[in-house]
Amino acid sequence: MLKAVIIDSSAVARGLLNTVLLDGGYDVVGQGHTCASGMALMVKYHPQMICIAREQMESDPQVLREIRNTWPKSLIFMVSSEFDAATVQAAHSMGVNGFIVKPFKADTVLNTIRNTVIAMVKRQRAALAAQNGGVAAAEGEAGES
C-alpha cells in the first residue's frame, strides 16, 4: 500500500482527496495546509506519493526541488482545477509525475494515479533493459578481443 501526503491550503479539498485515496486503497499518512507542514509530514512518514496543490507549489517554488532531491523515487501529483499546456510542461520539468484535476472524481483520480505508476514502471524497466543491454554489448565486445 502506497503511503501518501496531501498538501493543500483548502481543508475541503484535502478531505475530499483523502477520502478518494483511502477508498482507493492508499494509506494517507498526513495532510498539510502549507508546504512546511507537508515537508514535516514527509520527513516523518517517507511517503511514496505526494499530492500538492498548484497554489502551494507556486507559493514555494523550491519545495519541488527539495522533495525531488530528498525523495527521488516518490510520485508527485499536482492538484489543481486548471491546467494549461505551459503549466503542465513547467511542472513536468520540475519533477511532477502526474496531475489530479479538481473537482475530484474518484475514478478519474485513481485511474490517473494508476496510469502514472504504470508509466513510471515501464520507463524504469526500459531504462534498466537499455542499461543491461549496453553492459551485455560491452561484455560481448570485450570477449571478442
Side-chain angles (χ1 to χ4, degrees):
M1 178 182 305
L2 291 179
K3 293 185 288 186
V5 166
I6 300 169
I7 306 170
D8 196 319
S9 60
S10 168
V12 172
R14 286 193 315 269
L16 290 171
L17 186 54
N18 180 65
T19 299
V20 169
L21 293 176
L22 288 174
D23 289 349
Y26 296 96
D27 182 16
V28 179
V29 293
Q31 300 178 36
H33 67 287
T34 65
C35 289
S37 64
M39 292 297 288
L41 291 166
M42 287 183 267
V43 168
K44 182 175 182 178
Y45 294 108
H46 304 283
Q48 293 88 18
M49 183 169 58
I50 300 136
C51 300
I52 182 169
R54 178 180 177 178
E55 303 80 40
Q56 297 299 107
M57 291 174 28
E58 290 173 349
S59 70
D60 187 357
Q62 297 299 325
V63 74
L64 274 182
R65 191 176 347 269
E66 190 173 341
I67 291 170
R68 201 35 79 212
N69 288 338
T70 308
W71 298 278
K73 294 182 180 181
S74 64
L75 294 170
I76 302 173
F77 291 91
M78 178 189 279
V79 181
S80 181
S81 59
E82 299 178 356
F83 290 105
D84 55 59
T87 300
V88 169
Q89 187 174 11
H92 273 301
S93 71
M94 292 187 292
V96 171
N97 301 99
F99 303 89
I100 297 174
V101 180
K102 294 178 185 178
F104 304 118
K105 293 183 180 145
D107 290 346
T108 304
V109 170
L110 297 174
N111 282 334
T112 297
I113 293 168
R114 181 179 174 274
N115 291 340
T116 302
V117 170
I118 289 169
M120 180 175 268
V121 168
K122 285 181 180 179
R123 281 193 303 271
Q124 288 174 343
R125 285 184 179 166
L128 187 59
Q131 180 182 2
N132 288 339
V135 169
E139 287 174 352
E141 290 173 9
E144 293 174 6
S145 302

